[in-house]
Amino acid sequence: MFDLIVIIRVPDDAEVTLVADALARMRPLCLAEDGCVSWEAYQSHEEPGRFVLVERWASRGHWEAHDAGDAIQKIYIPEIMPRIEREVHPSSLIRSRPE
């Protein structure tokens, strides 16, 4: 598995709804991609201009191929990227260890 956390901040309050709507449109496209296990976008209640994407891919290769898909090419790059600041964090799930 390849897990990814993306933290997004929308500096302009007037663009928060545009970004939220675009992320909602991305979800079904991402979920339909080969190797996408799960894809969720969360919006902060405390800071509406802050979003967290939690993605799980079957492999890093599947995530890398995702860059060529419609979700990225037709929504993320043209509609979201010009409006945001972001941090991308390939991550590992922490699980309890047997004692």
Side-chain angles (χ1 to χ4, degrees):
M1 283 300 153
F2 181 77
D3 296 323
L4 186 73
I5 306 295
V6 181
I7 301 167
I8 293 173
R9 189 176 84 77
V10 183
D12 184 347
D13 291 343
E15 296 185 323
V16 169
T17 300
L18 296 170
V19 171
D21 290 346
L23 289 170
R25 286 186 285 116
M26 281 183 65
R27 186 172 190 275
L29 297 175
C30 292
L31 290 172
E33 291 182 34
D34 184 42
C36 183
V37 177
S38 65
W39 192 98
E40 301 294 341
Y42 296 87
Q43 184 175 19
S44 171
H45 288 246
E46 298 292 320
E47 293 180 59
R50 185 167 308 273
F51 299 84
V52 177
L53 309 182
V54 180
E55 304 177 33
R56 175 163 276 184
W57 296 88
S59 70
R60 185 178 187 110
H62 286 98
W63 171 68
E64 289 171 352
H66 164 63
D67 281 349
D70 285 349
I72 297 297
Q73 295 300 314
K74 293 184 178 178
I75 299 174
Y76 196 74
I77 291 173
E79 296 183 38
I80 296 174
M81 284 294 290
R83 295 177 165 89
I84 66 168
E85 298 168 356
R86 71 183 183 144
E87 298 175 30
V88 178
H89 299 277
S91 302
S92 297
L93 183 62
I94 297 173
R95 299 185 186 272
S96 61
R97 297 183 181 153
E99 296 191 31

